[in-house]
Amino acid sequence: MRWQAFDYHYEHGQEYGITAMNITSATFLKSVIRIEECPRDGRPEIAFVGRSNVGKSSLLNALLNRKGLAKTSTTPGKTQMINFFDVNRRFYFVDLPGYGYAKVPKGVKSEWSRVMTAYLRHREPLKLVVQLLDARHTPSDKDHEMLELLRRARVPVLLAATKIDKLSRNERTRNLKAIRADLDLDDDAVIIPFSAVTAEGVKPLWEIIAPCLKSPT
Ligand code: GDP
């Protein structure tokens, strides 16, 4: 499996009004259920995906330095919509629906999978997908399926291991290694250890996201 290796061109962050924490504006734009409803202004976008409850809302809020912007869910999987956030009036963060929630009916699941596939394959402004994995567990079948979908769609992928604060030093090393092995990652593939509690990983994520916003379409 070929993985995108990322260079750290941090200076590009300045052009997009980003330093690690310099978010001048971050607002919810809209939720869509059909690809045709996505913004058409050509601004670049970064999407975030992961199973329900992985910590996606918390990560988005931490990256954008806005406490309640992305709703921290009480009912996992309740939203099947693609949520757009306008950041610095320059680009979008896209919160993709959480997967792997058992109580979602079959029909909804297949519709979800159709919309996600269409989005990932054909969404031209999409520059990078950040896939979130829970640092405490080996990736689930659903995580594997998602990664496979991303690989087939040929979108650059960055992995983030969430809730890293819940692990001891030893567990952390062991689990990150196990995740790499389980997903059969190349040596140059990056997994960013992340915690919304300690803010570990915020800066490294921005260091990778910022240059992606600048890459040609
Ligand atoms: P989502 O369903 O993927 O959007 O997940 P949420 O952001 O709503 O988080 C799910 C649960 O995990 C909530 O109870 C959060 O408080 C908790 N959580 C999320 N991120 C972290 C983290 O980095 N560390 C810890 N300890 N808990 C977290």
Side-chain angles (χ1 to χ4, degrees):
M1 189 185 282
R2 184 72 204 123
W3 285 84
Q4 172 118 0
F6 292 99
D7 293 327
Y8 283 48
H9 298 304
Y10 195 40
E11 69 274 18
H12 290 323
Q14 301 296 337
E15 293 171 38
Y16 273 84
I18 307 160
T19 60
M21 296 298 246
N22 183 14
I23 305 300
T24 53
S25 70
T27 53
F28 171 73
L29 179 70
K30 63 173 173 175
S31 297
V32 311
I33 45 168
R34 294 203 314 266
I35 302 304
E36 309 83 70
E37 299 168 309
C38 293
R40 289 161 185 255
D41 53 22
R43 289 184 197 171
E45 65 198 39
I46 308 290
F48 297 81
V49 71
R51 70 159 180 75
S52 305
N53 215 37
V54 70
K56 184 153 51 68
S57 310
S58 305
L59 178 139
L60 284 166
N61 288 334
L63 279 184
L64 298 174
N65 203 18
R66 299 288 190 278
K67 276 207 164 61
L69 186 61
K71 286 192 193 75
T72 308
S73 47
T74 42
T75 316
K78 73 181 166 195
T79 169
Q80 295 296 314
M81 303 184 101
I82 299 177
N83 300 307
F84 281 85
F85 296 90
D86 178 328
V87 188
N88 290 1
R89 297 194 173 81
R90 301 279 182 89
F91 58 93
Y92 297 111
F93 268 12
V94 184
D95 181 8
L96 296 175
Y99 52 81
Y101 186 56
K103 284 185 189 162
V104 175
K106 266 221 167 71
V108 175
K109 272 189 197 165
S110 61
E111 173 62 10
W112 176 89
S113 141
R114 198 188 59 76
V115 173
M116 287 289 272
T117 306
Y119 172 82
L120 295 170
R121 291 212 168 161
H122 305 303
R123 181 67 180 157
E124 190 265 340
L126 179 61
K127 302 298 177 190
L128 172 75
V129 176
V130 181
Q131 183 176 8
L132 281 61
L133 302 164
D134 192 318
R136 295 169 300 172
H137 312 296
T138 16
S140 67
D141 289 349
K142 294 282 172 208
D143 291 324
H144 277 271
E145 278 171 31
M146 176 47 71
L147 200 46
E148 183 58 21
L149 184 59
L150 294 169
R151 193 182 66 79
R152 290 213 194 134
R154 300 183 180 279
V155 214
V157 181
L158 173 64
L159 299 172
T162 61
K163 309 190 187 183
I164 200 80
D165 58 281
K166 293 198 176 194
L167 301 182
S168 70
R169 277 275 143 198
N170 284 343
E171 288 170 330
R172 173 191 174 114
T173 310
R174 194 171 62 222
N175 288 17
L176 288 173
K177 218 172 138 190
I179 292 172
R180 296 191 81 87
D182 189 69
L183 296 174
D184 195 21
L185 300 186
D186 285 349
D187 290 344
D188 61 355
V190 179
I191 301 183
I192 305 289
F194 188 88
S195 167
V197 173
T198 66
E200 175 179 352
V202 169
K203 193 158 180 271
L205 273 178
W206 273 121
E207 286 175 347
I208 292 173
I209 290 170
C212 290
L213 290 166
K214 211 178 169 284
S215 66
T217 49

